[in-house]
Amino acid sequence: MRVLILGGTGEARELAKELAARGEHVVSSLAGRVARPKLPDGEVRVGGFGGPEGLARWLAENDVAALIDATHPFAERIGANAAEAARETNTPLLRVARPGWTEQPGDTWHWADDLDHAARLLPALGERVFLTSGRQGLAAFAGLDDLWFLIRCVDPPEVRLPRRCEVLLDRGPYTVDKERGLMERHGVEVLVTKDSGGAMTAAKLTAARELGLPVVVARRPWRPETASVATVQDALTWLDAETKGSPA
């Protein structure tokens, strides 16, 4: 049985490890946007497929028994492509979607529809911003020259940045103590994040709560409706049921 995982997340790597340990032919596809990605077990391919048509062709040519979309919650384009390609080829599709974060007592969250909306909220919330939304959406904040930004991302940004900023290249997981210390050293007044969910980067939310800082949280984008689970174990259960009787 060949399974294609659209990956790049911790859940995708964990699922690939479990399937490889079971002797399944697992192929993980990475977008190639990170310079030094953490590679999963099994076969790995890097780069796009050429839209939904290219992905459908790859699924058919490689006799894929199941397609798992375990991409980042904000990777909306590949999610749409996966849904269309699976429908065209009649390939079983599962979305592994980690739960979003939940506001806790003591939090002061401001929900934004997207990063453009988040940028519009900032001037009323603080002048020193800790921006942790990833490098893909930084252009939304480029015009806020009256604010100062601490921008954290994995790889160097390649878009125009706000005039007053410092770029910090780092990769999680993070601890509450280090996140709190980072915010205190830089005099951060407001935190910006996407609703990515998961434990790897959640420490910044706890640190912001302890410091009494407002947080701007960008909502997740729309995704096509499909079968969905929250955990790797649930994904394995779905695969067993969906591919029962499929040739190895």
Side-chain angles (χ1 to χ4, degrees):
M1 178 180 73
R2 180 180 281 108
V3 177
L4 175 63
I5 300 175
L6 305 176
T9 61
E11 292 87 352
R13 289 189 295 273
E14 183 182 350
L15 180 56
K17 181 178 180 180
E18 292 284 346
L19 291 174
R22 287 165 39 162
E24 305 290 1
H25 186 167
V26 55
V27 181
S28 295
S29 177
L30 308 181
R33 292 176 178 169
V34 177
R36 296 177 300 277
K38 297 178 181 179
L39 297 180
D41 292 358
E43 184 180 342
V44 178
R45 70 176 303 280
V46 178
F49 291 90
E53 299 84 3
L55 177 54
R57 185 165 53 252
W58 199 94
L59 293 173
E61 291 176 351
N62 289 273
D63 194 24
V64 173
L67 173 61
I68 308 294
D69 176 8
T71 56
H72 191 275
F74 284 78
E76 62 265 38
R77 179 177 299 177
I78 187 60
N81 290 351
E84 186 174 337
R87 185 168 55 250
E88 181 178 334
T89 58
N90 199 31
T91 303
L93 169 64
L94 179 71
R95 169 76 179 137
V96 181
R98 72 176 78 123
W101 288 315
T102 303
E103 195 168 359
Q104 303 295 319
D107 284 333
T108 305
W109 286 11
H110 301 264
W111 286 94
D113 295 332
D114 52 30
L115 292 181
D116 288 332
H117 185 198
R120 294 195 298 272
L121 294 175
L122 283 179
L125 297 175
E127 295 183 359
R128 297 183 66 83
V129 182
F130 185 19
L131 185 53
T132 66
S133 56
R135 65 174 185 159
Q136 299 298 322
L138 290 178
F141 304 90
L144 297 176
D145 290 337
D146 291 337
L147 308 183
W148 179 89
F149 290 85
L150 175 62
I151 300 172
R152 184 169 68 193
C153 45
V154 175
D155 292 317
E158 299 176 347
V159 298
R160 185 170 75 90
L161 301 177
R163 180 175 57 84
R164 302 171 59 214
C165 71
E166 177 179 334
V167 176
L168 173 63
L169 301 182
D170 198 6
R171 186 198 302 262
Y174 307 104
T175 66
V176 174
D177 286 346
K178 288 185 176 180
E179 294 288 68
R180 184 174 56 245
L182 182 67
M183 295 182 197
E184 289 177 328
R185 286 195 304 276
H186 289 88
V188 169
E189 297 174 355
V190 56
L191 169 68
V192 178
T193 183
K194 294 175 178 178
D195 183 23
S196 300
M200 181 173 287
T201 60
K204 60 190 174 186
L205 300 173
T206 302
R209 182 187 314 126
E210 293 178 355
L211 294 170
L213 301 181
V215 181
V216 178
V217 185
R219 300 182 190 277
R220 294 182 175 189
W222 174 86
R223 289 271 194 144
E225 287 194 18
T226 186
S228 179
V229 297
T231 69
V232 169
Q233 286 304 313
D234 285 343
L236 291 170
T237 299
W238 178 90
L239 267 173
D240 289 340
E242 192 68 35
T243 62
K244 186 176 182 180
S246 296

